[in-house]
Amino acid sequence: MTERGSAAACSKRLHPTDFPACKRFVIAPYVGAGVILLGMSREEAADAMQFIPRPFRTFQQPLDSDDFSCCFVSYQPPGVCEAVEFHPNVEVLFYGKNLLRQPYQEVEAFVREHDPDWQATGDGFTSFRYGFGVYAPYAFEDVCQPVESVIVFEKGYYAQAPGSG
């Protein structure tokens, strides 16, 4: 498998209630993660994942998104991928280390070695150098709590996010 992943790992089209074949995603800063690349269309993302996603929209975030069971892919007009948020049932690798399900304290220390300018967010942190963030809502009560999700985003994503002023 290549560093950015391989479509061959996702070789069959699955029924929408099944889980995608891809379970390992390597972060490529401001490019994407694994087979999901920022700038892809909705159709390209589904083809890359070899999975039929469920479209959804939230009240807090009026973005157009797809639920791939292992991640949410968010699209901006005219329907191109701007961010991917991964759930803990897959691996998201940064410099060879899986960031999901690991103790927040361990993940923060590891990322800090590569990006001393990371920014705390109150429920995790963001690395603008590498274009990703981690979400660990209970880590500030107990730093041993696991990272619950990882978001990989395009340049300017937080500047254009609703409510970012």
Side-chain angles (χ1 to χ4, degrees):
M1 184 182 294
T2 65
E3 186 65 13
R4 284 184 30 209
S6 167
C10 305
S11 61
K12 68 174 193 161
R13 173 71 64 178
L14 299 175
H15 185 275
T17 59
D18 292 334
F19 195 79
C22 292
K23 295 184 191 261
R24 190 169 201 236
F25 300 86
V26 177
I27 295 173
Y30 294 108
V31 173
V35 297
I36 301 177
L37 304 178
L38 301 170
M40 282 183 156
S41 68
R42 170 175 263 127
E43 294 78 20
E44 290 170 326
D47 286 345
M49 291 289 285
Q50 294 295 300
F51 188 77
I52 302 166
R54 188 181 74 217
F56 77 96
R57 188 178 287 255
T58 66
F59 292 111
Q60 299 87 1
Q61 197 79 308
L63 299 172
D64 194 14
S65 301
D66 282 337
D67 181 352
F68 281 88
S69 295
C70 64
C71 64
F72 297 126
V73 176
S74 298
Y75 306 93
Q76 66 175 328
V80 296
C81 175
E82 65 178 350
V84 184
E85 184 175 358
F86 294 94
H87 313 309
N89 46 5
V90 295
E91 288 185 330
V92 177
L93 304 174
F94 175 68
Y95 281 101
K97 179 173 182 57
N98 180 30
L99 303 179
L100 286 168
R101 300 180 312 278
Q102 305 304 312
Y104 174 83
Q105 178 180 23
E106 182 181 312
V107 171
E108 179 189 298
F110 182 78
V111 171
R112 194 182 292 188
E113 291 175 17
H114 299 281
D115 182 4
D117 298 323
W118 66 276
Q119 294 181 12
T121 61
D123 55 7
F125 66 84
T126 302
S127 170
F128 288 103
R129 177 179 290 177
Y130 293 102
F132 73 90
V134 304
Y135 176 69
Y138 304 107
F140 293 97
E141 296 172 14
D142 176 2
V143 294
C144 294
Q145 291 298 308
V147 171
E148 292 185 12
S149 71
V150 173
I151 187 168
V152 175
F153 52 84
E154 68 178 11
K155 285 189 184 218
Y157 174 74
Y158 283 105
Q160 67 197 14
S164 64

